[in-house]
Amino acid sequence: MDRVALRGLKARGHHGVFPREREEGQTFIVDLVLGLDTRPAAAADDLAKTVHYGIVAEEVVDVVQGEPVDLIETLAERIAQQCLKHEGVQEVEVVVHKPDAPITVPFDDVTITITRSRA
């Protein structure tokens, strides 16, 4: 299986369990790895035979900016399901970064990583 990766998609969302997170929002960063067979697109040099990663990026940002959820696990699942709606995408790895998580000690990042597939 071939891989198309999008790294560092940024969007502001209002996800979290605390009122301040819901009210003020925060930046979330998403990394994606889409698994698909790119041979038909390469042979025909045809965008219609692969995944349009620009459209995927816009859809992922829409999910992050959309309906708030409590957990980044839920957000990651919604992103994965959106990616799998694209016909050629057979699997997806989603990493959601929450660099401004409400943690009381110094830290660099909080992430959740999930992998989902059609099978």
Side-chain angles (χ1 to χ4, degrees), residues 72-85:
I72 60 173
E73 291 86 344
T74 306
L75 181 60
E77 184 67 34
R78 287 184 177 180
I79 292 168
Q81 294 308 314
Q82 181 61 46
C83 292
L84 289 170
K85 289 180 181 179

Side-chain angles (χ1 to χ4, degrees), residues 4 7 10 17 19 25 36 39 42 45 55 61-62 64-65 68 83-84 86-87 95 97-98 101-102 107 110:
V4 173
R7 307 261 187 227
K10 294 180 184 172
V17 296
L36 64 153
R39 290 176 291 191
D45 197 27
I55 290 173
V61 166
D62 286 346
V64 174
Q65 292 175 340
C83 292
L84 289 170
H86 291 268
E87 185 176 330
V95 181
H97 301 257
K98 189 175 178 180
F107 74 102
V110 172

Side-chain angles (χ1 to χ4, degrees), residues 16-59:
V17 296
F18 297 113
R20 180 173 172 217
E21 293 178 291
R22 291 295 183 103
E23 293 165 10
E24 296 177 14
Q26 60 192 292
T27 298
F28 293 85
I29 302 166
V30 178
D31 301 325
L32 301 173
V33 180
L34 307 170
L36 64 153
D37 183 357
T38 63
R39 290 176 291 191
D45 197 27
D46 185 354
L47 177 61
K49 296 183 184 229
T50 188
V51 64
H52 190 311
Y53 50 80
I55 290 173
V56 171
E58 291 171 358
E59 292 172 349

